[in-house]
């Protein structure tokens, strides 16, 4: 596969990932944190809303974040030293802080910047070493969750209280009041949630998973994952089966346990274990389709979104918080889960259209150009040469 064809495939996969991420993020734009983790504490869970939640939990939650992190790891390799990777990662941390505290607490840019700094030196490693360490790192989060579940009745009160805060309804009323208020009213709650995501969550879960997936992406790039050579159709089918079996078992444990906090922690072990093979299966499937239909208009349109992924990701947050926050339309806590799922698909389709129109005139997104300019001094919207694989290039 030529370099240009490979990059188009990567762009199409990145653009598709933005749909998967939005399906889950829109719930956090529109509902309290506990509703994302425990759907029984807020909002309906019967009929089509129950199906919408199960659909998101089974096929989207963690899977597309894992896949996006793999793409980010691959992009660190493709960018090489010419892209000033450490300066770019430092600026990504700055963007992440502004995003988390100014717009939406669920930011991933800070995590990618910090973790990227730690793994960027692994770009030159052999793929086998990247693969082994990546698998080890993605296993840390499920291992911590398993120990937590087994020792649940003996956890220190402070740790148990921090865990239960977002697994029951105790935080719901405060978040409803805050996020239905103006920007300054939201700020203390948003800052608290953002800080927890950048400290305790990073240390106990998201940091390990992001680092492991970035390394898996580096190994996958060298093994042909993004060229359709990584696994045979049978192997991809096996990954689908294993991933769906594990995440379905987690879903069953959660429902059978009445969505109790302890059942949720046990379910999370199965959920995270299954999310990695399922992310790889989704990625291989999308890559295969993108290669097969490389000349098709939908593929090219989705690839154009992938080339402005940084701008599109932040656009989702800005628009989402404006629609649901009290500083905008004030719809926080008023949309059903099924409506949110439909809205995610509609908005993503709109983003694909806008990206296609933008790409007719410009080679980079506006925030991609800003990010590149801050790191390398080139703020142009149209690249002088064909872009490399990293968003913003």
């Amino acid at each position: 596969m030529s370099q240009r064809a490979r990059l188009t495939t990567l762009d199409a996969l990145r653009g598709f990932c933005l749909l998967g991420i939005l399906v889950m993020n829109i719930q956090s734009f529109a509902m309290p944190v506990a509703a994302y983790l425990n759907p029984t504490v807020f909002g309906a869970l019967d009929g089509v809303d129950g199906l919408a939640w199960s659909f998101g939990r089974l096929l989207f939650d963690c899977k597309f974040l894992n896949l996006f992190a793999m793409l980010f790891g691959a992009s660190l390799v493709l960018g090489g030293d010419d892209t000033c990777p450490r300066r770019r990662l430092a600026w990504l941390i700055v963007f992440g802080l502004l995003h988390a505290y100014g717009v939406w607490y669920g930011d991933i840019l800070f995590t990618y910047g910090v973790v990227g700094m730690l793994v960027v030196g692994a770009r030159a490693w052999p793929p086998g070493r990247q693969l082994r360490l990546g698998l080890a790192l993605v296993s840390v989060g499920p291992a911590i969750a398993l120990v937590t579940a087994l020792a649940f009745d003996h956890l220190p009160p402070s740790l148990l209280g921090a865990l239960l805060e977002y697994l029951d309804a105790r935080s719901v009323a405060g978040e409803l009041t805050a996020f239905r208020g103006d920007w300054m009213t939201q700020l203390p709650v948003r800052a608290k949630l953002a800080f927890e995501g950048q400290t305790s969550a990073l240390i106990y879960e998201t940091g390990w998973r992001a680092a492991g997936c970035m390394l898996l992406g580096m190994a996958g790039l060298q093994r042909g994952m993004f060229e359709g050579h990584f696994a045979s159709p049978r192997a991809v089918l096996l990954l689908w089966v294993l991933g769906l079996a594990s995440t379905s078992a987690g879903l069953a444990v959660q429902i059978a346990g009445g969505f109790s906090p302890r059942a949720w922690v046990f379910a999370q072990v199965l959920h995270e274990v299954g999310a990695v093979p399922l992310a790889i299966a989704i990625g291989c499937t999308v890559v295969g389709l993108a290669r097969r239909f490389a000349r098709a208009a939908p593929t090219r349109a989705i690839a154009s979104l992938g080339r402005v992924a940084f701008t599109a990701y932040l656009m989702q947050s800005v628009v989402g918080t404006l629609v649901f926050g009290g500083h905008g339309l004030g719809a926080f806590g008023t949309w059903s889960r099924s409506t949110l799922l439909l809205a995610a698909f509609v908005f993503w389709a709109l983003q694909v259209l806008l990206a296609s129109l933008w790409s007719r005139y410009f080679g980079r997104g506006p925030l991609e150009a800003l990010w590149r300019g801050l790191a390398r001094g080139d703020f142009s919207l149209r690249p002088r040469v064909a872009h490399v694989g990293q968003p913003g290039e």
Side-chain angles (χ1 to χ4, degrees), residues 64-121:
F64 283 88
L65 277 178
N66 287 351
L67 187 52
F68 212 65
M70 293 176 195
L71 282 165
F72 192 83
S75 73
L76 289 175
V77 176
L78 285 171
D81 291 331
D82 291 341
T83 60
C84 306
R86 288 178 176 80
R87 289 186 64 182
R88 288 174 58 82
L89 291 167
W91 278 110
L92 192 62
I93 292 172
V94 174
F95 281 118
L97 290 170
L98 294 173
H99 179 223
Y101 292 93
V103 182
W104 179 55
Y105 60 83
D107 165 77
I108 61 169
L109 304 178
F110 177 87
T111 298
Y112 281 15
V114 170
V115 173
M117 285 284 195
L118 299 176
V119 304
V120 68

Side-chain angles (χ1 to χ4, degrees), residues 20 25 28 48 68-69 158 184 189-190 200 214 240 287 304 308 327 366 390:
N25 285 356
S28 296
V48 68
F68 212 65
S158 58
M184 287 302 298
V189 176
R190 182 170 54 248
S200 57
M214 287 180 194
W240 273 104
V287 165
S304 68
V308 295
H327 60 297
Q390 189 163 339

Side-chain angles (χ1 to χ4, degrees), residues 144-230:
I144 293 175
L146 180 60
V147 171
T148 301
L150 293 173
F152 195 84
D153 294 332
H154 306 286
L155 293 175
S158 58
L159 180 59
L160 184 60
L163 183 64
L164 294 178
E165 183 177 3
Y166 301 116
L167 292 177
D168 59 27
R170 70 184 67 183
S171 64
V172 169
E175 288 182 41
L176 286 173
T177 300
F179 289 114
R180 286 173 176 172
D182 59 24
W183 189 88
M184 287 302 298
T185 302
Q186 299 170 26
L187 182 58
V189 176
R190 182 170 54 248
K192 176 178 181 293
L193 293 170
F195 183 75
E196 289 172 352
Q198 294 168 354
T199 52
S200 57
L202 184 69
I203 293 169
Y204 289 112
E205 181 193 3
T206 57
W208 301 101
R209 187 169 70 232
C213 287
M214 287 180 194
L215 288 171
L216 292 179
M218 293 179 185
L221 180 70
Q222 298 188 67
R223 293 285 179 87
M225 175 180 175
F226 305 109
E227 301 175 49
H229 304 146
F230 179 71

